[in-house]
Amino acid sequence: MCLAIPALITSVEGTTARAEIGGVERTISLALTPEARVGDYVLIHTGFAIGVVDEEEAQETLRLLEELAEFYPDEVEVSQFPNLPISQSPNLPISQSPNLPVSQSTNEVH
Amino acid sequence: MRYIDEFRDPRLARKLVANIQARSTRPVRFMEFCGGHTHAIFRHGLRQMLPPTVELRSGPGCPVCVTANTDLDRAIALAKLPGVILATFGDMLKVPGSHGSLQTARAEGADVRVVYSALDALRIARDHPERAVIFLGVGFETTAPTVAAAILEAEAEGLDNFYVLSLHKLTPPATRAILDAGEVRLSGIIGPGHVTTVIGSRAWEFLPQDYSVPCAVAGFEPLDILRAVAALVEMAEDGRPAVVNAYSRSVRPEGNRVALEIMQRVFEVSEADWRGLGRVPASGLALRPKYVRFDAALAFPVDPGPTREHKGCRCGDVLRGTVEPPECPLFRRVCTPARPVGPCMVSAEGACAAWYRYGGADV
């Protein structure tokens, strides 16, 4: 099962914590993430935190996406693309096609 | 909601799609291993946004779906034993085994209880010391550490009526099995984001190394998935297979070491029977000798009788990625979420359930 939701740790007591998401609080186990602290966001899966969300990486990801966004002007609607041969993609000089930001991710593994 | 809403920004989604459209020149087929991805892709309308050159195909990443009938039959037989309380995750309840489901067993008097967490099953065991509480351990590496943690808790408090039937399975071996079978040509794999939170992005290095197949580990919000698809397109276009971690806010190269240690302390790797893939070596988890007293299969030997597969059900082919749900003759005509024939239609992560719910009138 791949379903896990990010929740905010509001209090910690030993290996359990109270975590809040969308205004709902629940008790979860920190057995798998003993490093989690109040104020951290953790991914909750079947009552356990399985990982701590890295806030800096989250911001970095959004920043890279914003950088990518600058290559594609707002007024170009995605729906126009299927009608165009790729080589005639408007407003995008192919020779300047950006290396996708994800390749600059600090966690990339080659 | 934090870390969800930002990754659903439609403006950034359009930019990512524009990038994919611009970069994709040749037909590619990517497999999203995880059923959760199949559902997210449908739910957010991502299929329609991708250019015709990019095809997405579902994989076997639905632990309920890949549970073999023999194992489910065993769970049902255990549930029917007098004095047993069988605790299970909700999706397993309605999956048809050879002769009925856990739900029908419950209707016939078996004490079957749906739980959200292995910890709930522990609680039931504490509340009912006179009963044997068997937890049905279904799930991949996201779930297995939680069950291991529950077993350690049971051990620490000397709980002697708590058991686990371990049907846990491992995702990289299943991915290998699909590639080794060579039945479906894949240009890339969208890696399961939460499994990989546990096992680490390094666990997928075998894909570019052994198969020259790129892998992009993805989260479950639209921007996460599109970002992974964009990375795969780029790697496929350039012929540069690698592992890209496109879910870096949750996934680290080494994964969650604590979770892995706990999982490996309690479980060892074993062979496992996968619906669709058959017996796959070193693809399952079994309780280590030290924890064998928690093993439900050993504590309660049962003979579930001969296994019966449902005729016409193509769940196995769907799980191997060789067939899409609408190609199954039973899809929608006979097999629906209300009256499912196979687990792919039952599970919240099943491909058939996703196609049924979101596939639209054309399907």
Side-chain angles (χ1 to χ4, degrees), chain B residues 265-268 286-295 298:
Chain B
R265 201 191 315 170
V266 174
F267 292 110
E268 60 189 11
L287 288 163
R288 285 190 184 277
K290 185 176 178 211
Y291 297 98
V292 103
R293 71 177 177 86
F294 294 100
D295 190 339
L298 290 178

Side-chain angles (χ1 to χ4, degrees), chain B residues 241-296:
Chain B
V243 174
V244 165
N245 177 2
Y247 191 28
S248 57
R249 64 188 185 279
S250 300
V251 172
R252 319 229 162 18
E254 72 279 10
N256 178 339
R257 287 210 175 103
V258 171
L260 283 171
E261 191 278 320
I262 286 175
M263 185 177 87
Q264 286 157 4
R265 201 191 315 170
V266 174
F267 292 110
E268 60 189 11
V269 176
S270 66
E271 63 179 14
D273 290 323
W274 293 65
R275 184 184 307 273
L277 301 176
R279 181 152 296 177
V280 181
S283 68
L285 292 175
L287 288 163
R288 285 190 184 277
K290 185 176 178 211
Y291 297 98
V292 103
R293 71 177 177 86
F294 294 100
D295 190 339

Side-chain angles (χ1 to χ4, degrees), chain A residues 19-62:
Chain A
E20 181 259 317
I21 176 151
V24 177
E25 246 198 12
R26 59 170 87 171
T27 302
I28 58 160
S29 169
L30 295 182
L32 306 178
T33 55
E35 74 279 16
R37 298 284 173 268
V38 172
D40 283 345
Y41 276 83
V42 289
L43 286 171
I44 302 188
H45 173 73
T46 66
F48 285 79
I50 59 163
V52 179
V53 179
D54 186 329
E55 168 125 22
E56 275 170 30
E57 280 291 337
Q59 294 310 320
E60 176 67 8
T61 298
L62 292 168

Side-chain angles (χ1 to χ4, degrees), chain A residues 2 26 55 57 72 109, chain B residues 2 11 15 116 194 243 248:
Chain A
C2 260
R26 59 170 87 171
E55 168 125 22
E57 280 291 337
Y72 301 95
V109 175
Chain B
R2 193 87 187 277
R11 179 183 55 94
K15 306 301 184 182
Y116 161 70
H194 295 134
V243 174
S248 57

Side-chain angles (χ1 to χ4, degrees), chain B residues 92-219:
Chain B
M92 287 302 292
L93 201 63
K94 298 187 190 183
V95 178
S98 301
H99 308 279
S101 63
L102 282 167
Q103 189 178 52
T104 50
R106 183 164 71 178
E108 289 162 10
D111 195 341
V112 177
R113 306 199 192 176
V114 171
V115 295
Y116 161 70
S117 167
L119 297 177
D120 298 332
L122 274 185
R123 207 165 294 126
I124 296 173
R126 284 184 206 110
D127 292 345
H128 298 277
E130 76 289 359
R131 309 278 296 278
V133 176
I134 300 177
F135 176 71
L136 186 50
V138 170
F140 296 128
E141 297 96 326
T142 330
T143 315
T146 71
V147 178
I151 289 173
L152 291 176
E153 203 172 307
E155 181 194 39
E157 59 188 77
L159 205 57
D160 63 2
N161 62 329
F162 177 73
Y163 303 88
V164 171
L165 181 68
S166 175
L167 303 181
H168 294 295
K169 296 179 173 60
L170 303 172
T171 55
T175 313
R176 264 190 198 278
I178 291 204
L179 291 169
D180 288 340
E183 295 168 302
V184 51
R185 287 201 50 205
L186 295 174
S187 330
I189 303 279
I190 299 174
H194 295 134
V195 159
T196 312
T197 298
V198 173
I199 68 177
S201 52
R202 279 204 285 258
W204 297 103
E205 279 176 2
F206 73 94
L207 284 171
Q209 280 169 15
D210 299 346
Y211 297 94
S212 295
V213 167
C215 174
V217 181

